[in-house]
């Protein structure tokens, strides 16, 4: 359909095994990983440590070959050298020659990326302004803070004006001000029509700026979709605070509503439950001689969705 956004990153049935020990045994890191990222969106790729995020990103960058499955960017297999011209990459721990200045390091990467000599100086000035480093352009990188170095890293990823930008843990080690600056930069990339693929474990940042997300746990994709849709699927829809319930009444509630979560004991009890069960819950509380203190709607966070995905992955099959 013409109205559907174009697929920019596509991973299908990706499997990756690594040899361990003396190469006799294989360890499976990725199992049938599939997801898509679309044109002009910020895509969040999240998971706990060791889930397979970095391995997936290395496959997309062509740094490791998959055991099975496929990965493509802009319709080309990631092994195609032409793909490199269209992508920018910020690794989690970028290494820069600290004796160079910000202007010099960007000139270095501009030459590596094939930026034309006549455009090079203007492009460097443009990016220094974009990442708010014009004032520090001629200072050596050894004097830069972590946040400033991250902004240099973003600038080098954009030096050749790529269509797709891959950011590996772009908020790692930053203070709140530095995180806000990087978030604003990423949002600016989306406004410029770029596709941003962000690999991170900072869920609050993902919820604030990402359009869509995939959650990987133990090498498999557990959830994928729009952030607002995933958050809207939260398990609990309401919180009811009651008082004056006897112990047998509390037990009755736990039996009648197995999906509810009861917090606290004694005088006040908080009950979290699906929205559709609220009316019946209130009737039971009143019949049991209790009183209702408050009823409030609950909005699930991405953290709730993430933790639920991790919990389900841990359950025995």
């Amino acid at each position: 359909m013409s109205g559907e956004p174009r697929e920019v990153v596509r991973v299908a049935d990706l499997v990756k095994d690594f040899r361990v020990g003396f190469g006799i045994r294989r360890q499976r890191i990725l199992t049938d990983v599939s997801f898509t990222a679309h044109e002009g969106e910020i895509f969040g790729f999240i998971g706990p440590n060791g889930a397979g995020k970095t391995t997936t990103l290395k496959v997309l960058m062509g740094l490791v070959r998959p055991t099975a499955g496929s990965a493509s960017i802009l319709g080309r297999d990631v092994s195609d050298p032409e793909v490199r011209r269209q992508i920018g990459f910020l690794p989690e721990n970028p290494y820069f020659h600290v004796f160079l200045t910000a202007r010099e390091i960007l000139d270095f990467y501009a030459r590596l990326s094939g930026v034309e000599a006549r455009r090079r100086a203007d492009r460097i000035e443009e990016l220094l302004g974009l990442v708010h480093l014009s004032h520090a352009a001629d200072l050596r990188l050894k004097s830069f803070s972590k946040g400033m170095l991250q902004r240099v890293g973003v600038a080098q990823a954009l030096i050749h004006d790529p269509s797709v930008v891959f950011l590996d843990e772009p908020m790692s080690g930053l203070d709140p001000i530095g995180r806000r600056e990087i978030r604003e930069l990423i949002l600016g990339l989306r406004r410029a029509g770029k596709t941003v693929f962000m690999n991170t474990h900072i869920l609050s940042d993902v919820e604030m700026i990402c359009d869509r997300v995939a959650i990987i746990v133990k090498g498999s994709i557990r959830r994928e979709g729009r952030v607002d849709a995933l958050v809207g699927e939260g398990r609990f829809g309401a919180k009811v605070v009651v008082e004056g319930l006897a112990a047998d009444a509390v037990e009755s509630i736990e039996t009648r509503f197995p999906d509810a979560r009861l917090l606290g004991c004694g005088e006040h009890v908080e009950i979290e439950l699906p929205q559709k069960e609220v009316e019946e819950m209130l009737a039971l509380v009143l019949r049991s001689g209790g009183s209702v203190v408050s009823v409030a709607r609950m909005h699930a966070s991405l953290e709730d969705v993430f933790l639920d995905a991790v919990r389900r992955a841990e359950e025995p099959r």
Side-chain angles (χ1 to χ4, degrees), residues 252-271:
S252 177
I253 290 174
E254 290 176 331
T255 301
R256 177 65 187 81
F257 302 95
D259 291 333
R261 181 166 63 190
L262 277 66
L263 308 173
C265 58
E267 188 65 20
H268 284 75
V269 177
E270 294 182 1
I271 307 168

Side-chain angles (χ1 to χ4, degrees), residues 226-242:
R226 290 193 58 83
V227 173
D228 53 2
L230 291 177
V231 169
E233 295 172 1
R235 179 182 174 194
F236 299 114
K239 177 186 289 187
V240 179
V241 180
V242 301

Side-chain angles (χ1 to χ4, degrees), residues 202-258:
I202 303 179
L203 301 180
S204 58
D205 290 324
V206 172
E207 190 165 359
M208 277 191 279
I209 67 175
C210 287
D211 302 292
R212 295 177 61 252
V213 66
I215 302 175
I216 184 171
V217 184
K218 291 188 172 182
S220 298
I221 300 297
R222 307 294 174 168
R223 303 293 298 275
E224 180 189 0
R226 290 193 58 83
V227 173
D228 53 2
L230 291 177
V231 169
E233 295 172 1
R235 179 182 174 194
F236 299 114
K239 177 186 289 187
V240 179
V241 180
V242 301
E243 62 183 9
L245 283 178
D248 59 342
V250 173
E251 292 179 4
S252 177
I253 290 174
E254 290 176 331
T255 301
R256 177 65 187 81
F257 302 95

Side-chain angles (χ1 to χ4, degrees), residues 61-248:
M61 293 297 97
L63 299 175
V64 300
R65 293 183 178 180
T67 303
S70 64
S72 63
I73 300 172
L74 296 169
R76 295 176 179 267
D77 189 87
V78 293
S79 62
D80 188 335
E82 284 299 314
V83 169
R84 302 291 169 268
R85 300 180 184 275
Q86 299 296 323
I87 63 174
F89 177 45
L90 171 66
E92 180 179 1
N93 297 302
Y95 174 79
F96 299 121
H97 299 290
V98 295
F99 54 84
L100 295 177
T101 67
R103 192 188 310 278
E104 289 169 343
I105 199 72
L106 291 181
D107 182 72
F108 171 73
Y109 282 108
R111 292 170 185 267
L112 281 180
S113 301
V115 178
E116 296 177 0
R118 61 185 178 84
R119 293 185 56 244
R120 205 172 293 147
D122 289 342
R123 181 61 177 162
I124 290 170
E125 290 303 320
E126 178 186 350
L127 286 174
L128 287 170
L130 179 67
V131 300
H132 307 293
L133 285 176
S134 296
H135 67 286
D138 297 309
L139 297 179
R140 299 194 184 281
L141 298 185
K142 65 181 180 180
S143 66
F144 278 26
S145 66
K146 171 70 172 177
M148 294 171 73
L149 289 173
Q150 285 291 84
R151 282 183 275 163
V152 171
V154 172
Q156 67 80 25
L158 299 175
I159 194 69
H160 57 300
D161 195 24
S163 301
V164 193
V165 183
F166 291 87
L167 306 175
D168 190 6
E169 299 289 358
M171 315 292 186
S172 177
L174 298 182
D175 62 21
I177 295 175
R179 283 171 55 194
R180 184 183 64 182
E181 291 175 342
I182 297 299
R183 284 198 305 266
E184 290 174 351
L185 277 173
I186 294 172
L187 290 170
L189 294 177
R190 181 175 63 185
R191 288 192 294 270
K194 310 290 185 187
T195 300
V196 180
F197 184 99
M198 188 169 74
N199 178 12
T200 184
H201 66 277
I202 303 179
L203 301 180
S204 58
D205 290 324
V206 172
E207 190 165 359
M208 277 191 279
I209 67 175
C210 287
D211 302 292
R212 295 177 61 252
V213 66
I215 302 175
I216 184 171
V217 184
K218 291 188 172 182
S220 298
I221 300 297
R222 307 294 174 168
R223 303 293 298 275
E224 180 189 0
R226 290 193 58 83
V227 173
D228 53 2
L230 291 177
V231 169
E233 295 172 1
R235 179 182 174 194
F236 299 114
K239 177 186 289 187
V240 179
V241 180
V242 301
E243 62 183 9
L245 283 178
D248 59 342

